[in-house]
Amino acid sequence: MSEIQNVSHAPAVTLSGSEFVISLDSHDLIAANTCEVRVTCHDGDDFVVSVESYPLEAATVCDIHVTCDDQTEFSVKCRSQLGVNGKQSLVFSLPDICIPSMARIQLRHANDSLDLSERFLHYKLDNNKLHDNAYLTNALFNASARPFSGDDLFIVTYAYLNVLPLNNANFGGLITLLAYRITDKLDDREHVICEVYATYRRYREVVQCHDAVAFRWLVSSSSALVTALLSIGSTTQAEDVVDSALKAIVHPSFNPMVHQNYVLLLFQGGLIKAWKGRFDEAANLFISAVNAGRYGMIDLLHPQNSWVLGQMSDCHQFLNLIDAAHRAALACTNNKLPPQSRFAPLKTAPKLHIDFKTIFDRFACFKIKSPPFFEQALHKMQARQNGQ
């Protein structure tokens, strides 16, 4: 078998949803009727991942051949589809090529092969440093330092979702980043949320809340996952995340980095209760969000905080959250906050106006229009405030 070395002949590789697409000329493909993914595990056992058979006009029998670090090899047979440019493309799922353990990846057809390793090995992390907090911070979490962004960041975090140990202090960071990147292209990636939620449920059972790093990412991942779930209307799963997270977050001031995400978690919990018509519970969570926001502002504005000027955007975000939570609490109590909350009574309550685009500015799906759940919750609170 000959290997094509000239990179000018390399096909374009793009990401669509959670699948890689390799664009090829139609003459590179021959007809077949079914597709399957066949994998050889590290221990030598074979298993077949069942995929739907397609009555394709031109399905491919090209193999994506993967070599793992221990030299175990397996072939991923891909389905073929016709692209918008009229060219045939090979399509295969991102998790199927096992990026974390990959040593080499080739496209094989007839007597030729094309080495695609350089294109995919870019997404590998250093497996010897997955427990190194500084390494993972610079590789993934520090936006100014990490080498990945956009689709690339989605690829890496999704590839390592079921590889990084659940008890790794930074595991919640993967869920956080995935939640953001899923909402970047919600229509194409919403199916991934179910897998992330299932993983989160296992993660929350083992996370070490006494560890400051792990605690930070528990709060962050819970808040971000709730937003992603609500964006696709999965209110039951979102409520489960909120309720379990709030039970685990006994001391939110343990790590000052959680303040904003903790407020967002409380606020979204209030929206869920209001959406369900449980306005007393919603008001309680909104009032808690206001108070938690105040504590966060105090922490940011502390005289010993020498980097506060670099965090002015966070101060503005706290004010937006506090204002929205206060208006929502008034609406849920029909403008009669409980005296125990110690909020000064208002002669004229402000109108219930919440700019979700500003509050959830880190989530791409809010940039054009807020997802339906958020507008529905707003309408129900408005009706409550108006006595309807």
Side-chain angles (χ1 to χ4, degrees):
M1 177 179 290
S2 63
E3 184 168 326
I4 303 171
Q5 299 290 346
N6 191 340
V7 294
S8 65
H9 290 91
V13 181
T14 57
L15 187 73
S16 177
S18 60
E19 295 181 316
F20 286 112
V21 180
I22 300 181
S23 299
L24 295 174
D25 293 329
S26 58
H27 61 75
D28 290 328
L29 305 176
I30 58 179
N33 293 322
T34 60
C35 302
E36 75 170 8
V37 179
R38 187 169 181 82
V39 182
T40 300
C41 294
H42 290 291
D43 60 6
D45 293 333
D46 289 343
F47 67 95
V48 174
V49 180
S50 298
V51 296
E52 183 179 356
S53 295
Y54 297 88
L56 302 175
E57 294 181 0
T60 182
V61 293
C62 294
D63 284 346
I64 297 295
H65 200 77
V66 181
T67 305
C68 295
D69 290 333
D70 59 1
Q71 299 306 302
T72 298
E73 295 183 345
F74 62 92
S75 295
V76 179
K77 290 188 176 180
C78 316
R79 80 174 191 269
S80 171
Q81 69 181 24
L82 193 64
V84 293
N85 56 4
K87 289 186 176 182
Q88 291 287 342
S89 300
L90 304 182
V91 182
F92 55 93
S93 180
L94 190 164
D96 287 344
I97 58 173
C98 303
I99 288 174
S101 58
M102 179 191 299
R104 191 182 190 192
I105 180 169
Q106 293 175 296
L107 172 63
R108 291 184 178 180
H109 174 238
N111 295 319
D112 295 324
S113 69
L114 179 66
D115 194 329
L116 302 177
S117 302
E118 186 176 351
R119 176 65 177 82
F120 291 96
L121 291 176
H122 166 69
Y123 302 118
K124 288 192 63 171
L125 300 177
D126 187 336
N127 290 337
N128 295 318
K129 296 183 178 180
L130 295 183
H131 285 280
D132 186 329
N133 181 59
Y135 169 75
L136 283 181
T137 297
N138 288 323
L140 295 176
F141 309 129
N142 186 339
S144 63
R146 64 191 178 204
F148 310 107
S149 62
D151 284 352
D152 286 356
L153 191 56
F154 171 77
I155 291 169
V156 175
T157 50
Y158 190 26
Y160 280 84
L161 181 65
N162 293 309
V163 174
L164 198 69
L166 291 173
N167 61 359
N168 187 300
N170 285 285
F171 189 90
L174 289 185
I175 296 177
T176 301
L177 293 177
L178 264 177
Y180 287 133
R181 298 292 73 82
I182 288 171
T183 67
D184 285 349
K185 299 179 179 179
L186 193 59
D187 291 342
D188 293 332
R189 296 175 180 169
E190 66 173 84
H191 64 282
V192 179
I193 296 180
C194 294
E195 181 180 349
V196 177
Y197 169 64
T199 303
Y200 172 87
R201 295 187 66 183
R202 298 194 301 272
Y203 155 71
R204 72 187 179 191
E205 297 299 322
V206 299
V207 62
Q208 301 297 314
C209 290
H210 58 270
D211 181 286
V213 174
F215 178 72
R216 170 207 176 178
W217 288 122
L218 170 67
V219 181
S220 175
S221 63
S222 301
S223 175
L225 181 57
V226 168
T227 308
L229 287 165
L230 292 178
S231 297
I232 64 170
S234 296
T235 54
T236 300
Q237 292 85 346
E239 185 175 36
D240 172 54
V241 174
V242 171
D243 291 347
S244 65
L246 292 181
K247 288 179 182 178
I249 304 170
V250 180
H251 301 292
S253 58
F254 174 46
N255 186 334
M257 294 186 74
V258 312
H259 284 308
Q260 189 175 132
N261 283 312
Y262 180 57
V263 176
L264 272 172
L265 193 64
L266 291 166
F267 179 72
Q268 292 183 103
L271 291 177
I272 293 171
K273 305 301 183 186
W275 183 84
K276 291 192 168 186
R278 292 152 57 180
F279 293 106
D280 289 342
E281 294 176 63
N284 178 286
L285 289 168
F286 288 134
I287 291 170
S288 297
V290 172
N291 287 324
R294 289 172 52 237
Y295 299 145
M297 285 284 290
I298 291 170
D299 206 16
L300 276 177
L301 298 174
H302 193 282
Q304 291 185 347
N305 186 355
S306 59
W307 40 265
V308 67
L309 292 179
Q311 300 295 314
M312 290 306 293
S313 61
D314 285 344
C315 292
H316 290 298
Q317 188 72 342
F318 272 124
L319 289 174
N320 290 329
L321 280 165
I322 291 169
D323 180 60
H326 183 236
R327 290 171 185 262
L330 285 167
C332 289
T333 58
N334 199 16
N335 301 328
K336 297 176 183 177
L337 291 174
Q340 293 82 3
S341 67
R342 298 180 67 185
F343 283 93
L346 301 174
K347 292 183 179 179
T348 304
K351 293 182 179 180
L352 180 59
H353 172 72
I354 298 177
D355 185 354
F356 291 117
K357 185 187 299 185
T358 300
I359 291 175
F360 299 102
D361 60 335
R362 295 181 181 179
F363 294 85
C365 60
F366 286 85
K367 294 188 183 301
I368 298 175
K369 184 180 180 181
S370 299
F373 165 84
F374 296 89
E375 296 301 327
Q376 292 167 6
L378 186 62
H379 292 324
K380 290 186 178 183
M381 290 188 292
Q382 287 176 331
R384 171 71 170 180
Q385 188 171 39
N386 296 335
Q388 299 175 4

